[in-house]
Amino acid sequence: MTRLSVLIADGNPVIRAGLAAILCTAEDLDVTAQAADGREALSLTRRHAPDVILLDVRMPGVDGISALPHLVQLAPVLMLTYSREAEIICEALLLGAGGYLVHGEFTADDLLRAVRDAPLGRPHFTPTAASALLSELRASSHPQRVVAQSSERMHNSVVFGLSSREVEIMDLIASGMSNQQIAAACFISEKTVKNHINRIFAKLQSATRSEAIARWLGTARPGVTGHG
């Protein structure tokens, strides 16, 4: 029998214990680690190399959505959470989650089946998640606009010569994050963030955050500065 190792990441110790108790009833599943936030989840994933990660959205410190892009590079991730907002569900899926289960909408057997299917690439969704995803898709009445925005962002990254990490950080700057928040989201130090920002500002020929954001979002032309 092939045994699957599972890492549980949830900010609530009672929920972690409950999930572990359910998983331990299955002979083919082992709970190898439990994490209280995204940063600990990444550290334990690197240490234990689990076959599946169960990830909550809202956790203290680094939340699940911030940790997700890093975790999916190491193991299949199944979102297991109380968060049922359509925007969060779609974001989690775009970032690589292999399923989305909302607490209170699945049985123990549903959970075991979803965990076993995760490494096989078979997604599982509880009713609220499936309905939210469908509604979001139907509401997306301007796909050309989304493609245009994505194309413009890629064009800007080429024009300004930003690396993939710098693109990631510039997007976070544009979203309004502080250096401290960016450091937490990217799992790097604030000093490293500042170094990246200095290089980004130089490439964007910008002296301030607002000017860099304007250039990045296309509201200012590259090569034209407002400070001589």
Side-chain angles (χ1 to χ4, degrees):
M1 181 187 300
T2 301
R3 299 179 68 87
L4 296 177
S5 58
V6 184
L7 181 145
I8 301 171
D10 194 294
N12 188 326
V14 175
I15 291 179
R16 292 200 304 270
L19 293 173
I22 293 173
L23 296 175
C24 288
T25 63
E27 295 183 358
D28 60 331
L29 301 178
D30 287 322
V31 177
T32 55
Q34 298 184 34
D37 64 16
R39 187 179 296 278
E40 187 179 17
L42 183 62
S43 175
L44 292 175
T45 295
R46 287 171 172 161
R47 185 185 310 167
H48 296 282
D51 296 305
V52 183
I53 298 169
L54 300 183
L55 183 64
D56 188 19
V57 170
R58 293 188 173 91
M59 295 182 287
V62 178
D63 63 37
I65 295 297
S66 298
L68 183 56
H70 306 275
L71 293 172
V72 295
Q73 297 178 34
L74 303 174
V77 177
L78 183 63
M79 305 306 294
L80 200 60
T81 179
Y82 282 105
S83 299
R84 55 183 65 206
E85 298 90 339
E87 183 179 354
I88 290 178
I89 293 169
C90 292
E91 184 176 7
L93 296 175
L94 288 172
L95 290 174
Y100 201 105
L101 305 183
V102 176
H103 285 298
E105 297 185 354
F106 58 88
T107 66
D109 286 341
D110 291 334
L111 175 60
L112 297 178
R113 187 160 46 249
V115 170
R116 292 180 180 122
D117 283 348
L120 303 176
R122 298 173 183 164
H124 284 251
F125 303 94
T126 53
T128 293
S131 296
L133 179 58
L134 184 58
S135 297
E136 190 73 10
L137 289 172
R138 287 173 174 167
S140 300
S141 57
H142 301 287
Q144 294 87 352
R145 185 183 304 168
V146 174
V147 171
Q149 289 172 344
S150 176
S151 176
E152 181 179 355
R153 176 178 174 277
M154 184 179 298
H155 172 72
N156 282 351
S157 69
V158 173
V159 168
F160 294 120
L162 269 61
S163 68
S164 58
R165 174 59 104 179
E166 289 167 348
V167 168
E168 179 183 11
I169 290 176
M170 189 59 229
D171 280 341
L172 295 177
I173 292 172
S175 74
M177 280 193 177
S178 66
N179 287 6
Q180 183 179 13
Q181 291 170 323
I182 293 172
C186 296
F187 301 94
I188 55 180
S189 68
E190 283 190 63
K191 181 180 179 181
T192 301
V193 171
K194 290 178 182 178
N195 290 338
H196 279 303
I197 289 176
N198 288 336
R199 287 193 291 270
I200 290 169
F201 281 14
K203 291 180 180 180
L204 267 61
Q205 301 177 30
S206 302
T208 65
R209 244 177 162 82
S210 59
E211 189 177 355
I213 292 171
R215 294 204 187 288
W216 184 241
L217 297 181
T219 55
R221 297 194 308 273
V224 180
T225 64
H227 54 278

